[in-house]
Amino acid sequence: MHELLTLSAREIARRIRMREITSREAVEIHIRHAERVNPTINAIVQDRFTAAREEADRADEQVAAAQEPSSLPPLHGVPCTIKENFAFAGMPNTSGLVSRRGMIAEKDCTTVSRLRDAGAIPLGVTNIPELCMWVESHNRVYGRSRNPYNPQHIVGGSSGGEGAIIGSGASPFGLGGDVAGSIRLPAFFNGVFGHKPTGSLVPTSGQHPPTEGRIQHYCTVGPLARKAEDLMPLLRILAGPDGQDTECRAMQLGDPEDLRMESMNVLCVPENGLRSVSPEMSAALLRAANGLQESGASVRGRKFRRLRYSFNIWASMLHQASETAFSTHLGNGERVRLGTETIKWLTRRSAHTLPSLSLALLERLPMPHGRFIETGRKLEAELLEALGDDGVMLFPSSTVAAPRHLEPMRTPLDYAYMGIINVFGMPSTQVPMGLDRNGLPLGVQVISAPGNDHLTIGVAMQLERIFGGWIPPWRASEQAVGTLSARRKRAVGSDLPRAARLFRGLARA
């Protein structure tokens, strides 16, 4: 595979500015790789390859005319991809809803516009679940996306197409959205980096379904990338009020390069008490903790009992903030008649997926929302006190690596490890941590207090230096699965029993 398929967006941009490569070369190589892998993974659901080539040629003309390379924008000539539910002029914007089939965006939303103004060249838009509210990217408009490490496994959601195309190597970075893990889960399942920003840091305007009121704080927009060094530059491009998102605020961002591991306090939280984590996921978490400790950080284990209510807290806080029912969004403005649609689904005539119908039903079930919101506020205060001004928390991404298609319907609470972070407005960076015994990506979340995006990204960069980060699928051979080095084999073997001991110790705490 060509070297450009493994480089960061920053490095590709540098080479274009310095005339070591052309934008057309970078774009063409990624297009050719996308054409090879996309028939299998179904990640890009509408390409714009011809337009991307033309934009690359114009970018090269601008490079030739530039007096100083530094005068060019930071992403000049670099290819990328965009999640389909973001408005992108001339591209479909269905959000996987059959009733919106044929819907074409008339203008770019804020975040797409900011990336393009920074010089990025989108190759196309990528797949999502219906209305972006499930962990498997499948809908009646575009079908199902498949994992680049094993097509029999899921890519996550809702930015699942982004995770898959970036994980495949066919895009250096992409734009995703996250209200319950929708950036981090696809990044995790596809072995790449993803950053859920501090709530209200990046405007959410121009998505479908539209964000409203306090949901604009819980639903965040951020980058997925194959290299950690791209996350902060992309975040700086995306961040800041746009006059449309009423919750978005200007915030001062720190620099992850200033991070000194000797001054870092790291909490290692191995489970939420609601759903147990697999031994391999536990080992990945402990490897990350050990790596940071060896780098000079102070690491300690911690258990938060209220985390067991993560799903109820997330659901209650979202319910309180929602101005429009999910079932109304599902009906494209009119509330779906669930009884009728369920019968149609059973007879294979429904335009909707089972996860969407299930969620519409779930929102109608009675729940003591007030009690769980109060529990959530107590948990939030407990977490913030433990983190302090400069701490981070290592937390599982989920219970297991990417499951097979349809399996998440049996274990929906596995994904409560992520949504709780959204309703507390905390930044979280998803970090790849090698592959499991089946060749599927492992990972860990790095979480901090609101405004500390630079800390979670800085720790992600350190973990990438230690453990290698993204492993391209074409390198996920027998060597990548279990024998990357004798050192890593020893680490995996020793961490499994240590992770079990850590669980037992915290269970007694």
Side-chain angles (χ1 to χ4, degrees), residues 121-139:
I121 299 177
L123 303 180
V125 294
T126 55
N127 206 14
I128 64 280
E130 186 177 22
L131 279 182
C132 299
M133 283 299 286
W134 185 232
V135 299
E136 184 163 5
S137 290
H138 170 242
N139 58 71

Side-chain angles (χ1 to χ4, degrees), residues 3-9 11-12 15 172 226-227 230 470:
E3 180 193 20
L4 287 178
L5 298 176
T6 67
L7 300 180
S8 67
E11 177 59 17
I12 293 172
R15 294 189 184 190
R226 57 194 181 201
K227 297 292 183 180
D230 286 334
W470 171 60

